Amino acid sequence: MSASIPQILDGKALAQKIQLELKEKVATLESKIGRPPGLAVLMVGDNPASAVYVRNKERACQKVGIASLGKHFPGDATQAELAETIKELNQDDRVDGILVQLPLPEHLDSISLLHCIHPDKDADGLHQVNLGKLVRSESGLRSCTPAGVMRLLQEYHIPISGKKAVVIGRSILVGKPVALMLLEQNATVTMAHSRTENLGAVCREADILVAAVGKPEMITRDLVKPGAVVIDVGINRVEGKEGKSKLVGDVAFEEVAEIASYITPVPGGIGPMTVAMLLSNTVESYRQFNTPDVD
Ligand SMILES: Nc1nc(=O)c2c([nH]1)NC[C@@H]1CN(c3ccc(C(=O)N[C@@H](CCC(=O)O)C(=O)O)cc3)C=[N+]21
Ligand SMILES: [Mg+2]
């Protein structure tokens, strides 16, 4: 079949638009509430990738007018120390959102730390209360990457209801919540993973294919139905030309772009949307819990 030009789902542009909207919202609310919104990002150790993301988040906060109240702990910080800090932030009136940057060093139990976060300050949507609300389709704080995927699909008016969606990857950070959000919009959802038999055949059924596995360029053209919408959640740093590192997704972009109807790039796709949704969650908590008289 002849190659057609796919539409690029421009997450970077939409993230910028969302940040401008949030900036206006913050300016209006701040005059009523008397303080800016606050986001605390907790980072432990010196994982270079984490440091990049944390810097991106802080820069985005600054643009929108959110105070960054983050804390950087040494790699040998203890579970008790972190739990104590989270409890203090839960009580701190300047803080609307708390995020524990993952992955944490091996000696820490990330799940019990995520559960220490007050559900109303859970900007990452990873607390069991917020995940439970998602399962029930109740409103609540929702995980940033999956929320970013849904917002991008919505922006481009991509039909979801009745469509076959295949999500590859079953993590609690992306795969499971994005499958639930697609189901909520009445997609027929299949979750594929490392044990799935005939993965290629399963993927080729997809009208909407979401790749969230963390394997560089594993989704090749032969796994994609012509005309499918392809969402690439992978952020993989690989060795590029002349030993320089470069960022690639889970999708082999060039070849898949030849047959997809819509596709997200890496970088510039879901990554920036994740940051935008984090800020959006923080501003929503700020609004909701400080302005009982506003809408
Ligand atoms: N508790 C927690 N919540 C997270 O949401 C979380 C986390 N931990 N740990 C790590 C992953 C990864 N993540 C990204 C955020 C922004 C970009 C991003 O801005 N990406 C840009 C470029 C980044 C670059 O140049 O390196 C882009 O794709 O265009 C990517 C990845 C959030 N994560
Ligand atoms: Mg809420």
PDB file of all heavy atoms in Angstrom, residues 255-290:
ATOM      1  N   GLU A 255       9.651   3.839  10.582  1.00  0.00           N
ATOM      2  CA  GLU A 255       8.930   2.837   9.788  1.00  0.00           C
ATOM      3  C   GLU A 255       7.456   2.760  10.180  1.00  0.00           C
ATOM      4  O   GLU A 255       6.599   2.553   9.322  1.00  0.00           O
ATOM      5  CB  GLU A 255       9.609   1.460   9.883  1.00  0.00           C
ATOM      6  CG  GLU A 255       9.691   0.882  11.294  1.00  0.00           C
ATOM      7  CD  GLU A 255      10.414  -0.473  11.316  1.00  0.00           C
ATOM      8  OE1 GLU A 255      11.624  -0.478  11.051  1.00  0.00           O
ATOM      9  OE2 GLU A 255       9.747  -1.497  11.589  1.00  0.00           O
ATOM     10  N   VAL A 256       7.141   2.954  11.452  1.00  0.00           N
ATOM     11  CA  VAL A 256       5.733   2.881  11.879  1.00  0.00           C
ATOM     12  C   VAL A 256       4.969   4.120  11.393  1.00  0.00           C
ATOM     13  O   VAL A 256       3.799   4.032  11.013  1.00  0.00           O
ATOM     14  CB  VAL A 256       5.625   2.701  13.413  1.00  0.00           C
ATOM     15  CG1 VAL A 256       4.173   2.838  13.880  1.00  0.00           C
ATOM     16  CG2 VAL A 256       6.183   1.348  13.826  1.00  0.00           C
ATOM     17  N   ALA A 257       5.669   5.249  11.358  1.00  0.00           N
ATOM     18  CA  ALA A 257       5.025   6.485  10.882  1.00  0.00           C
ATOM     19  C   ALA A 257       4.516   6.340   9.446  1.00  0.00           C
ATOM     20  O   ALA A 257       3.563   7.009   9.049  1.00  0.00           O
ATOM     21  CB  ALA A 257       5.999   7.661  10.980  1.00  0.00           C
ATOM     22  N   GLU A 258       5.116   5.442   8.684  1.00  0.00           N
ATOM     23  CA  GLU A 258       4.690   5.249   7.292  1.00  0.00           C
ATOM     24  C   GLU A 258       3.296   4.642   7.175  1.00  0.00           C
ATOM     25  O   GLU A 258       2.649   4.782   6.144  1.00  0.00           O
ATOM     26  CB  GLU A 258       5.699   4.362   6.548  1.00  0.00           C
ATOM     27  CG  GLU A 258       7.003   5.096   6.254  1.00  0.00           C
ATOM     28  CD  GLU A 258       8.031   4.199   5.573  1.00  0.00           C
ATOM     29  OE1 GLU A 258       7.711   3.029   5.269  1.00  0.00           O
ATOM     30  OE2 GLU A 258       9.151   4.684   5.364  1.00  0.00           O
ATOM     31  N   ILE A 259       2.851   3.941   8.210  1.00  0.00           N
ATOM     32  CA  ILE A 259       1.534   3.288   8.092  1.00  0.00           C
ATOM     33  C   ILE A 259       0.516   3.754   9.139  1.00  0.00           C
ATOM     34  O   ILE A 259      -0.671   3.499   8.998  1.00  0.00           O
ATOM     35  CB  ILE A 259       1.659   1.744   8.141  1.00  0.00           C
ATOM     36  CG1 ILE A 259       2.296   1.279   9.458  1.00  0.00           C
ATOM     37  CG2 ILE A 259       2.441   1.233   6.937  1.00  0.00           C
ATOM     38  CD1 ILE A 259       2.120  -0.214   9.681  1.00  0.00           C
ATOM     39  N   ALA A 260       0.974   4.446  10.183  1.00  0.00           N
ATOM     40  CA  ALA A 260       0.049   4.899  11.228  1.00  0.00           C
ATOM     41  C   ALA A 260      -0.771   6.089  10.722  1.00  0.00           C
ATOM     42  O   ALA A 260      -0.333   6.810   9.815  1.00  0.00           O
ATOM     43  CB  ALA A 260       0.837   5.316  12.469  1.00  0.00           C
ATOM     44  N   SER A 261      -1.960   6.284  11.313  1.00  0.00           N
ATOM     45  CA  SER A 261      -2.707   7.505  10.979  1.00  0.00           C
ATOM     46  C   SER A 261      -2.256   8.662  11.868  1.00  0.00           C
ATOM     47  O   SER A 261      -2.181   9.810  11.423  1.00  0.00           O
ATOM     48  CB  SER A 261      -4.216   7.276  11.124  1.00  0.00           C
ATOM     49  OG  SER A 261      -4.544   6.891  12.439  1.00  0.00           O
ATOM     50  N   TYR A 262      -1.971   8.344  13.130  1.00  0.00           N
ATOM     51  CA  TYR A 262      -1.448   9.315  14.099  1.00  0.00           C
ATOM     52  C   TYR A 262      -0.348   8.630  14.890  1.00  0.00           C
ATOM     53  O   TYR A 262      -0.466   7.441  15.192  1.00  0.00           O
ATOM     54  CB  TYR A 262      -2.523   9.742  15.098  1.00  0.00           C
ATOM     55  CG  TYR A 262      -3.654  10.559  14.542  1.00  0.00           C
ATOM     56  CD1 TYR A 262      -4.773   9.938  13.996  1.00  0.00           C
ATOM     57  CD2 TYR A 262      -3.626  11.953  14.603  1.00  0.00           C
ATOM     58  CE1 TYR A 262      -5.833  10.682  13.507  1.00  0.00           C
ATOM     59  CE2 TYR A 262      -4.675  12.703  14.122  1.00  0.00           C
ATOM     60  CZ  TYR A 262      -5.776  12.067  13.565  1.00  0.00           C
ATOM     61  OH  TYR A 262      -6.818  12.802  13.093  1.00  0.00           O
ATOM     62  N   ILE A 263       0.646   9.406  15.281  1.00  0.00           N
ATOM     63  CA  ILE A 263       1.733   8.818  16.071  1.00  0.00           C
ATOM     64  C   ILE A 263       2.354   9.891  16.961  1.00  0.00           C
ATOM     65  O   ILE A 263       2.407  11.067  16.591  1.00  0.00           O
ATOM     66  CB  ILE A 263       2.782   8.164  15.139  1.00  0.00           C
ATOM     67  CG1 ILE A 263       3.839   7.380  15.934  1.00  0.00           C
ATOM     68  CG2 ILE A 263       3.437   9.191  14.215  1.00  0.00           C
ATOM     69  CD1 ILE A 263       4.702   6.457  15.053  1.00  0.00           C
ATOM     70  N   THR A 264       2.786   9.476  18.166  1.00  0.00           N
ATOM     71  CA  THR A 264       3.485  10.427  19.048  1.00  0.00           C
ATOM     72  C   THR A 264       4.990  10.293  18.851  1.00  0.00           C
ATOM     73  O   THR A 264       5.512   9.180  18.769  1.00  0.00           O
ATOM     74  CB  THR A 264       3.179  10.162  20.541  1.00  0.00           C
ATOM     75  OG1 THR A 264       3.622   8.847  20.894  1.00  0.00           O
ATOM     76  CG2 THR A 264       1.709  10.306  20.842  1.00  0.00           C
ATOM     77  N   PRO A 265       5.704  11.408  18.784  1.00  0.00           N
ATOM     78  CA  PRO A 265       7.160  11.350  18.684  1.00  0.00           C
ATOM     79  C   PRO A 265       7.819  11.195  20.062  1.00  0.00           C
ATOM     80  O   PRO A 265       7.176  11.436  21.078  1.00  0.00           O
ATOM     81  CB  PRO A 265       7.519  12.716  18.089  1.00  0.00           C
ATOM     82  CG  PRO A 265       6.445  13.631  18.591  1.00  0.00           C
ATOM     83  CD  PRO A 265       5.196  12.797  18.752  1.00  0.00           C
ATOM     84  N   VAL A 266       9.056  10.775  20.072  1.00  0.00           N
ATOM     85  CA  VAL A 266       9.904  10.795  21.284  1.00  0.00           C
ATOM     86  C   VAL A 266      11.240  11.407  20.891  1.00  0.00           C
ATOM     87  O   VAL A 266      11.881  10.887  19.972  1.00  0.00           O
ATOM     88  CB  VAL A 266      10.139   9.371  21.840  1.00  0.00           C
ATOM     89  CG1 VAL A 266      11.078   9.427  23.048  1.00  0.00           C
ATOM     90  CG2 VAL A 266       8.829   8.697  22.216  1.00  0.00           C
ATOM     91  N   PRO A 267      11.661  12.487  21.481  1.00  0.00           N
ATOM     92  CA  PRO A 267      10.938  13.294  22.478  1.00  0.00           C
ATOM     93  C   PRO A 267       9.808  14.116  21.841  1.00  0.00           C
ATOM     94  O   PRO A 267       9.609  14.050  20.643  1.00  0.00           O
ATOM     95  CB  PRO A 267      12.051  14.189  23.018  1.00  0.00           C
ATOM     96  CG  PRO A 267      13.049  14.318  21.913  1.00  0.00           C
ATOM     97  CD  PRO A 267      12.999  13.020  21.151  1.00  0.00           C
ATOM     98  N   GLY A 268       9.098  14.830  22.683  1.00  0.00           N
ATOM     99  CA  GLY A 268       8.079  15.760  22.203  1.00  0.00           C
ATOM    100  C   GLY A 268       6.667  15.193  22.169  1.00  0.00           C
ATOM    101  O   GLY A 268       5.753  15.823  21.628  1.00  0.00           O
ATOM    102  N   GLY A 269       6.484  13.995  22.726  1.00  0.00           N
ATOM    103  CA  GLY A 269       5.150  13.376  22.747  1.00  0.00           C
ATOM    104  C   GLY A 269       4.597  13.306  24.159  1.00  0.00           C
ATOM    105  O   GLY A 269       4.167  14.311  24.733  1.00  0.00           O
ATOM    106  N   ILE A 270       4.626  12.095  24.714  1.00  0.00           N
ATOM    107  CA  ILE A 270       4.004  11.865  26.018  1.00  0.00           C
ATOM    108  C   ILE A 270       4.841  12.437  27.184  1.00  0.00           C
ATOM    109  O   ILE A 270       4.283  12.810  28.217  1.00  0.00           O
ATOM    110  CB  ILE A 270       3.717  10.357  26.211  1.00  0.00           C
ATOM    111  CG1 ILE A 270       2.753   9.856  25.110  1.00  0.00           C
ATOM    112  CG2 ILE A 270       3.125  10.074  27.582  1.00  0.00           C
ATOM    113  CD1 ILE A 270       1.422  10.594  25.040  1.00  0.00           C
ATOM    114  N   GLY A 271       6.159  12.544  27.018  1.00  0.00           N
ATOM    115  CA  GLY A 271       7.010  13.088  28.092  1.00  0.00           C
ATOM    116  C   GLY A 271       6.546  14.454  28.584  1.00  0.00           C
ATOM    117  O   GLY A 271       6.226  14.633  29.767  1.00  0.00           O
ATOM    118  N   PRO A 272       6.463  15.436  27.681  1.00  0.00           N
ATOM    119  CA  PRO A 272       5.989  16.761  28.116  1.00  0.00           C
ATOM    120  C   PRO A 272       4.547  16.752  28.636  1.00  0.00           C
ATOM    121  O   PRO A 272       4.210  17.541  29.528  1.00  0.00           O
ATOM    122  CB  PRO A 272       6.079  17.613  26.838  1.00  0.00           C
ATOM    123  CG  PRO A 272       7.000  16.880  25.928  1.00  0.00           C
ATOM    124  CD  PRO A 272       6.937  15.435  26.288  1.00  0.00           C
ATOM    125  N   MET A 273       3.723  15.841  28.094  1.00  0.00           N
ATOM    126  CA  MET A 273       2.332  15.745  28.587  1.00  0.00           C
ATOM    127  C   MET A 273       2.299  15.265  30.038  1.00  0.00           C
ATOM    128  O   MET A 273       1.448  15.690  30.824  1.00  0.00           O
ATOM    129  CB  MET A 273       1.513  14.792  27.708  1.00  0.00           C
ATOM    130  CG  MET A 273       1.188  15.329  26.335  1.00  0.00           C
ATOM    131  SD  MET A 273       0.265  16.872  26.392  1.00  0.00           S
ATOM    132  CE  MET A 273      -1.253  16.344  27.218  1.00  0.00           C
ATOM    133  N   THR A 274       3.233  14.382  30.383  1.00  0.00           N
ATOM    134  CA  THR A 274       3.323  13.888  31.765  1.00  0.00           C
ATOM    135  C   THR A 274       3.574  15.056  32.722  1.00  0.00           C
ATOM    136  O   THR A 274       2.923  15.176  33.769  1.00  0.00           O
ATOM    137  CB  THR A 274       4.469  12.857  31.882  1.00  0.00           C
ATOM    138  OG1 THR A 274       4.183  11.746  31.034  1.00  0.00           O
ATOM    139  CG2 THR A 274       4.644  12.369  33.313  1.00  0.00           C
ATOM    140  N   VAL A 275       4.492  15.922  32.337  1.00  0.00           N
ATOM    141  CA  VAL A 275       4.811  17.076  33.179  1.00  0.00           C
ATOM    142  C   VAL A 275       3.607  18.018  33.273  1.00  0.00           C
ATOM    143  O   VAL A 275       3.254  18.499  34.361  1.00  0.00           O
ATOM    144  CB  VAL A 275       6.055  17.819  32.638  1.00  0.00           C
ATOM    145  CG1 VAL A 275       6.339  19.068  33.461  1.00  0.00           C
ATOM    146  CG2 VAL A 275       7.272  16.892  32.627  1.00  0.00           C
ATOM    147  N   ALA A 276       2.943  18.245  32.136  1.00  0.00           N
ATOM    148  CA  ALA A 276       1.773  19.139  32.136  1.00  0.00           C
ATOM    149  C   ALA A 276       0.671  18.610  33.051  1.00  0.00           C
ATOM    150  O   ALA A 276       0.023  19.377  33.781  1.00  0.00           O
ATOM    151  CB  ALA A 276       1.246  19.322  30.710  1.00  0.00           C
ATOM    152  N   MET A 277       0.458  17.288  33.046  1.00  0.00           N
ATOM    153  CA  MET A 277      -0.590  16.704  33.889  1.00  0.00           C
ATOM    154  C   MET A 277      -0.221  16.757  35.370  1.00  0.00           C
ATOM    155  O   MET A 277      -1.087  16.910  36.230  1.00  0.00           O
ATOM    156  CB  MET A 277      -0.873  15.257  33.460  1.00  0.00           C
ATOM    157  CG  MET A 277      -1.498  15.113  32.088  1.00  0.00           C
ATOM    158  SD  MET A 277      -3.123  15.919  31.929  1.00  0.00           S
ATOM    159  CE  MET A 277      -2.698  17.370  31.043  1.00  0.00           C
ATOM    160  N   LEU A 278       1.074  16.659  35.660  1.00  0.00           N
ATOM    161  CA  LEU A 278       1.540  16.805  37.043  1.00  0.00           C
ATOM    162  C   LEU A 278       1.203  18.200  37.576  1.00  0.00           C
ATOM    163  O   LEU A 278       0.674  18.367  38.688  1.00  0.00           O
ATOM    164  CB  LEU A 278       3.055  16.565  37.097  1.00  0.00           C
ATOM    165  CG  LEU A 278       3.730  16.857  38.430  1.00  0.00           C
ATOM    166  CD1 LEU A 278       3.270  15.864  39.488  1.00  0.00           C
ATOM    167  CD2 LEU A 278       5.253  16.815  38.276  1.00  0.00           C
ATOM    168  N   LEU A 279       1.464  19.208  36.749  1.00  0.00           N
ATOM    169  CA  LEU A 279       1.168  20.583  37.168  1.00  0.00           C
ATOM    170  C   LEU A 279      -0.339  20.776  37.284  1.00  0.00           C
ATOM    171  O   LEU A 279      -0.833  21.425  38.203  1.00  0.00           O
ATOM    172  CB  LEU A 279       1.745  21.586  36.160  1.00  0.00           C
ATOM    173  CG  LEU A 279       3.248  21.482  35.851  1.00  0.00           C
ATOM    174  CD1 LEU A 279       3.692  22.627  34.968  1.00  0.00           C
ATOM    175  CD2 LEU A 279       4.083  21.440  37.110  1.00  0.00           C
ATOM    176  N   SER A 280      -1.060  20.189  36.328  1.00  0.00           N
ATOM    177  CA  SER A 280      -2.518  20.302  36.335  1.00  0.00           C
ATOM    178  C   SER A 280      -3.106  19.675  37.604  1.00  0.00           C
ATOM    179  O   SER A 280      -4.001  20.243  38.241  1.00  0.00           O
ATOM    180  CB  SER A 280      -3.061  19.629  35.070  1.00  0.00           C
ATOM    181  OG  SER A 280      -4.445  19.537  35.122  1.00  0.00           O
ATOM    182  N   ASN A 281      -2.598  18.509  37.993  1.00  0.00           N
ATOM    183  CA  ASN A 281      -3.061  17.867  39.232  1.00  0.00           C
ATOM    184  C   ASN A 281      -2.769  18.753  40.444  1.00  0.00           C
ATOM    185  O   ASN A 281      -3.602  18.885  41.348  1.00  0.00           O
ATOM    186  CB  ASN A 281      -2.348  16.520  39.429  1.00  0.00           C
ATOM    187  CG  ASN A 281      -2.982  15.389  38.629  1.00  0.00           C
ATOM    188  OD1 ASN A 281      -4.082  15.532  38.088  1.00  0.00           O
ATOM    189  ND2 ASN A 281      -2.284  14.271  38.556  1.00  0.00           N
ATOM    190  N   THR A 282      -1.602  19.366  40.466  1.00  0.00           N
ATOM    191  CA  THR A 282      -1.218  20.215  41.600  1.00  0.00           C
ATOM    192  C   THR A 282      -2.154  21.425  41.698  1.00  0.00           C
ATOM    193  O   THR A 282      -2.639  21.771  42.783  1.00  0.00           O
ATOM    194  CB  THR A 282       0.245  20.687  41.434  1.00  0.00           C
ATOM    195  OG1 THR A 282       1.087  19.540  41.304  1.00  0.00           O
ATOM    196  CG2 THR A 282       0.702  21.522  42.616  1.00  0.00           C
ATOM    197  N   VAL A 283      -2.414  22.042  40.542  1.00  0.00           N
ATOM    198  CA  VAL A 283      -3.288  23.219  40.533  1.00  0.00           C
ATOM    199  C   VAL A 283      -4.721  22.818  40.905  1.00  0.00           C
ATOM    200  O   VAL A 283      -5.419  23.553  41.606  1.00  0.00           O
ATOM    201  CB  VAL A 283      -3.237  23.931  39.156  1.00  0.00           C
ATOM    202  CG1 VAL A 283      -4.269  25.042  39.071  1.00  0.00           C
ATOM    203  CG2 VAL A 283      -1.833  24.482  38.909  1.00  0.00           C
ATOM    204  N   GLU A 284      -5.148  21.638  40.476  1.00  0.00           N
ATOM    205  CA  GLU A 284      -6.498  21.178  40.802  1.00  0.00           C
ATOM    206  C   GLU A 284      -6.644  20.944  42.313  1.00  0.00           C
ATOM    207  O   GLU A 284      -7.646  21.336  42.910  1.00  0.00           O
ATOM    208  CB  GLU A 284      -6.833  19.916  40.001  1.00  0.00           C
ATOM    209  CG  GLU A 284      -8.194  19.305  40.290  1.00  0.00           C
ATOM    210  CD  GLU A 284      -9.379  20.266  40.185  1.00  0.00           C
ATOM    211  OE1 GLU A 284      -9.284  21.301  39.486  1.00  0.00           O
ATOM    212  OE2 GLU A 284     -10.412  19.998  40.840  1.00  0.00           O
ATOM    213  N   SER A 285      -5.642  20.358  42.944  1.00  0.00           N
ATOM    214  CA  SER A 285      -5.689  20.187  44.405  1.00  0.00           C
ATOM    215  C   SER A 285      -5.699  21.537  45.110  1.00  0.00           C
ATOM    216  O   SER A 285      -6.423  21.740  46.081  1.00  0.00           O
ATOM    217  CB  SER A 285      -4.479  19.389  44.905  1.00  0.00           C
ATOM    218  OG  SER A 285      -4.625  18.040  44.584  1.00  0.00           O
ATOM    219  N   TYR A 286      -4.894  22.430  44.625  1.00  0.00           N
ATOM    220  CA  TYR A 286      -4.804  23.808  45.156  1.00  0.00           C
ATOM    221  C   TYR A 286      -6.166  24.488  45.108  1.00  0.00           C
ATOM    222  O   TYR A 286      -6.633  25.058  46.088  1.00  0.00           O
ATOM    223  CB  TYR A 286      -3.781  24.537  44.296  1.00  0.00           C
ATOM    224  CG  TYR A 286      -3.630  26.030  44.449  1.00  0.00           C
ATOM    225  CD1 TYR A 286      -3.087  26.600  45.592  1.00  0.00           C
ATOM    226  CD2 TYR A 286      -3.958  26.874  43.380  1.00  0.00           C
ATOM    227  CE1 TYR A 286      -2.887  27.965  45.686  1.00  0.00           C
ATOM    228  CE2 TYR A 286      -3.756  28.237  43.451  1.00  0.00           C
ATOM    229  CZ  TYR A 286      -3.228  28.785  44.609  1.00  0.00           C
ATOM    230  OH  TYR A 286      -3.027  30.136  44.689  1.00  0.00           O
ATOM    231  N   ARG A 287      -6.826  24.385  43.952  1.00  0.00           N
ATOM    232  CA  ARG A 287      -8.139  25.000  43.783  1.00  0.00           C
ATOM    233  C   ARG A 287      -9.174  24.317  44.681  1.00  0.00           C
ATOM    234  O   ARG A 287      -9.871  24.961  45.455  1.00  0.00           O
ATOM    235  CB  ARG A 287      -8.589  24.877  42.315  1.00  0.00           C
ATOM    236  CG  ARG A 287      -9.910  25.573  42.006  1.00  0.00           C
ATOM    237  CD  ARG A 287     -10.482  25.130  40.668  1.00  0.00           C
ATOM    238  NE  ARG A 287     -10.905  23.734  40.684  1.00  0.00           N
ATOM    239  CZ  ARG A 287     -12.034  23.293  41.218  1.00  0.00           C
ATOM    240  NH1 ARG A 287     -12.890  24.116  41.791  1.00  0.00           N
ATOM    241  NH2 ARG A 287     -12.313  22.010  41.208  1.00  0.00           N
ATOM    242  N   GLN A 288      -9.199  23.000  44.590  1.00  0.00           N
ATOM    243  CA  GLN A 288     -10.284  22.256  45.224  1.00  0.00           C
ATOM    244  C   GLN A 288     -10.282  22.377  46.749  1.00  0.00           C
ATOM    245  O   GLN A 288     -11.339  22.453  47.361  1.00  0.00           O
ATOM    246  CB  GLN A 288     -10.173  20.785  44.829  1.00  0.00           C
ATOM    247  CG  GLN A 288     -11.414  19.996  45.151  1.00  0.00           C
ATOM    248  CD  GLN A 288     -11.261  18.552  44.681  1.00  0.00           C
ATOM    249  OE1 GLN A 288     -10.455  18.242  43.807  1.00  0.00           O
ATOM    250  NE2 GLN A 288     -12.025  17.671  45.278  1.00  0.00           N
ATOM    251  N   PHE A 289      -9.088  22.389  47.347  1.00  0.00           N
ATOM    252  CA  PHE A 289      -9.035  22.332  48.802  1.00  0.00           C
ATOM    253  C   PHE A 289      -8.815  23.693  49.451  1.00  0.00           C
ATOM    254  O   PHE A 289      -8.651  23.797  50.651  1.00  0.00           O
ATOM    255  CB  PHE A 289      -7.990  21.309  49.242  1.00  0.00           C
ATOM    256  CG  PHE A 289      -8.311  19.954  48.691  1.00  0.00           C
ATOM    257  CD1 PHE A 289      -7.530  19.377  47.702  1.00  0.00           C
ATOM    258  CD2 PHE A 289      -9.454  19.272  49.121  1.00  0.00           C
ATOM    259  CE1 PHE A 289      -7.865  18.142  47.168  1.00  0.00           C
ATOM    260  CE2 PHE A 289      -9.792  18.029  48.590  1.00  0.00           C
ATOM    261  CZ  PHE A 289      -8.991  17.468  47.613  1.00  0.00           C
ATOM    262  N   ASN A 290      -8.818  24.746  48.632  1.00  0.00           N
ATOM    263  CA  ASN A 290      -8.646  26.088  49.200  1.00  0.00           C
ATOM    264  C   ASN A 290      -9.773  27.042  48.848  1.00  0.00           C
ATOM    265  O   ASN A 290      -9.823  28.135  49.377  1.00  0.00           O
ATOM    266  CB  ASN A 290      -7.316  26.693  48.733  1.00  0.00           C
ATOM    267  CG  ASN A 290      -6.132  25.952  49.329  1.00  0.00           C
ATOM    268  OD1 ASN A 290      -5.835  26.122  50.502  1.00  0.00           O
ATOM    269  ND2 ASN A 290      -5.503  25.108  48.546  1.00  0.00           N
TER     270      ASN A 290
END
